[in-house]
Amino acid sequence: MNINRRKFLKITGVATAALAIKSASDLLNDSDFIGALHAEEAEGIKEGVKWGMLIDLRKCDECKKCVEACRSAHNIPEFNNLKDQVDWIWLIDFEKAFPEQFHKFMREDLENKKVPILCNHCDDAPCVKVCPTKATWKREDGIVMMDYHRCIGCRYCMAACPYGSRSFNWRNPRPYIREINEDFPTRMKGVVEKCNFCAERLREGKQPACVEACDRGAMIFGDLNDENSEIRKKLKEEYAIVRKPAMGTHPNIYYII
Amino acid sequence: MYDADKIGAGIIVFLILVSLPIWYNGVLGAPTAPQPKIATEEKHCIEDVETIRGEHMVILDEWRNKVVRHGEKVYTSKTYGENYEMSIEKTCKKCHPDRKEFCDECHDYAGVKPYCWDCHNYE
C-alpha cells in the first residue's frame, strides 16, 4: 500500500477522534458515573432552601437557655478562661454586637442589653474564602459548614470573620465538657469550631437546639427563600437589622431591637 | 588473617540479627491473632465479613464525606441491600459497644493508630 505523510496523518487523526467520541459516550452511558455525579449534589441538603434566623431582642430576657442547649447538644467545653473559651452561641453587650448602632443616648433597655450572637452564616462568608483546605464551605442551603476532618488549625478563618464567631481549640476539650452527648462528636486540640446551624438536627427535620430551647419564642428559624415562611412574614412586618452590615458579608441572622 | 576471632564473632552477631525475623516467633512464641469481641444478636455486619475486614476504613472514609460534606444520612448495604445510618456513634457502636475489645484489638495487633477517637465518642 502506498501511503504518504498526509494520508497517514489523516487516518490517525480520524481514528483518534473516533476513539475519543467512543470513550466519552461510554462514560456518559455508564449509569454509575452519572449516579455518582448526581450524588455529589447531595440528597440530604434541601434544595432551594436558605436557612436564616430572626432573634427578637424585645422578647429575649437573657436567660441563656439557648446557650445551655447548644452546649449540651454539641459537646462544647467550658474552660472558665477567656483565652481558651469555645462558644457557638453566647451573649455579649449590645454595644459590642452592634457597634455601628450604638451611641451615647441609647434607649434605656438597650444600653445594658445582652445579645445572643452566633455564626451569621453569611452569604458572602469571608471565612470560606480564606480556608486553604476547604474545611469550611457554604452549603447550598446557606449553612456555613465545618469539616473538622479537614481543618488544619491555621486560623485564617478566625482572622477573616468580622464577628468573632469562631473558636480555636487550644487544648484538648474533652476533660472540660460537662456531660458528653454520645451522639455528637467532640472536637480535638488544634481545630477551629463554630455554630453549624444544627445541621445534624435539620437533617432529622428538627429545629436548631437553641430555637427549641427558647421558651419565650424570641428565636425564629426558617427558610428565607420561602415568602410564606414564618421568618419571612415577620421580616415583612418588623424592622430588623443585621450585625456589621458595612462588612458586606450579608449575614443571615436578623435582629429586631 | 588478623583479628579472625573478632571478625568471626562480628559475623555471628550479624547473622543472628539478620535472621531475627525468621526465628523470633519460634523462640518467643507467635503472637496470637486478635479476637475482636462482637456483642450483638444481629446476624451480620453492614457488609459481609471479608469486605468489612478489608474495606471498613474505606467505607468509613466514604461515610464521613457523605455525611459531613453532602448532608446524607442513609447507607445502603451492597451485600444485603439493607439501609443503615452512616454514623459510628449510632450504627457501629450498637453492635460493638466496647472499642478496646473490638477496634483496638486488631488495630494494636496491626500497629495502626487511627485518630477517629480524638473526636468520636467511643470508649
Side-chain angles (χ1 to χ4, degrees), chain B residues 46-61:
Chain B
I46 58 163
E47 299 287 354
D48 60 276
V49 178
E50 287 311 307
T51 312
I52 290 295
R53 273 194 196 139
E55 311 279 326
H56 67 275
M57 58 301 260
V58 181
I59 293 172
L60 288 173
D61 189 43

Side-chain angles (χ1 to χ4, degrees), chain B residues 9 19 21-22 29 45 52 55-56 62 71 77 80-81 103 107-108 111 119:
Chain B
S19 60
I22 298 164
C45 198
I52 290 295
E55 311 279 326
H56 67 275
E62 207 178 284
S77 167
Y80 306 108
C103 313
H107 290 160
D108 290 349
C119 297

Side-chain angles (χ1 to χ4, degrees), chain B:
Chain B
M1 196 161 87
Y2 301 109
D3 290 334
D5 45 348
K6 281 183 194 158
I7 291 169
I11 288 174
I12 288 167
V13 169
F14 173 74
L15 286 177
I16 288 172
L17 286 177
V18 161
S19 60
L20 190 80
I22 298 164
W23 53 263
Y24 184 89
N25 281 353
V27 174
L28 294 169
T32 46
Q35 299 288 334
K37 197 171 158 190
I38 297 156
T40 179
E41 307 267 289
E42 294 286 336
K43 302 229 161 32
H44 56 74
C45 198
I46 58 163
E47 299 287 354
D48 60 276
V49 178
E50 287 311 307
T51 312
I52 290 295
R53 273 194 196 139
E55 311 279 326
H56 67 275
M57 58 301 260
V58 181
I59 293 172
L60 288 173
D61 189 43
E62 207 178 284
W63 281 17
R64 92 173 178 192
N65 284 333
K66 282 191 172 155
V67 173
V68 181
R69 299 202 81 87
H70 305 306
E72 291 173 39
K73 203 176 157 189
V74 180
Y75 174 76
T76 308
S77 167
K78 289 181 184 75
T79 319
Y80 306 108
E82 291 167 8
N83 287 340
Y84 297 95
E85 184 170 352
M86 294 186 277
S87 164
I88 289 184
E89 283 91 348
K90 291 178 186 162
T91 302
C92 307
K93 247 170 97 171
K94 235 194 275 165
C95 295
H96 314 295
D98 196 313
R99 192 188 94 209
K100 289 203 172 52
E101 288 174 355
F102 185 70
C103 313
D104 291 357
E105 190 74 13
C106 294
H107 290 160
D108 290 349
Y109 178 76
V112 289
K113 292 191 182 75
Y115 47 84
C116 312
W117 330 121
D118 285 351
C119 297
H120 289 274
N121 304 302
Y122 203 164
E123 283 312 317

Side-chain angles (χ1 to χ4, degrees), chain A residues 4-99:
Chain A
N4 58 20
R5 180 191 169 93
R6 185 188 197 92
K7 209 167 172 186
F8 172 78
L9 285 176
K10 262 188 201 163
I11 292 166
T12 44
V14 168
T16 318
L19 261 176
I21 291 168
K22 169 90 171 59
S23 53
S25 74
D26 279 357
L27 200 58
L28 287 172
N29 285 330
D30 185 346
S31 56
D32 276 356
F33 178 73
I34 296 290
L37 273 185
H38 287 296
E40 284 292 305
E41 285 162 19
E43 53 174 67
I45 297 167
K46 263 196 189 173
E47 238 170 89
V49 164
K50 187 170 109 173
W51 298 121
M53 192 186 278
L54 176 63
I55 301 177
D56 191 339
L57 293 179
R58 299 167 307 187
K59 288 186 185 169
C60 174
D61 67 349
E62 305 167 19
C63 70
K64 292 194 181 174
K65 279 191 186 129
C66 51
V67 179
E68 287 306 317
C70 181
R71 201 172 278 289
S72 46
H74 300 121
N75 291 324
I76 295 162
E78 279 173 284
F79 290 105
N80 296 322
N81 157 2
L82 211 56
K83 181 185 131 306
D84 294 332
Q85 193 52 44
V86 172
D87 285 305
W88 286 23
I89 177 170
W90 70 107
L91 272 70
I92 59 168
D93 293 335
F94 182 88
E95 181 186 357
K96 285 178 182 152
F98 299 99

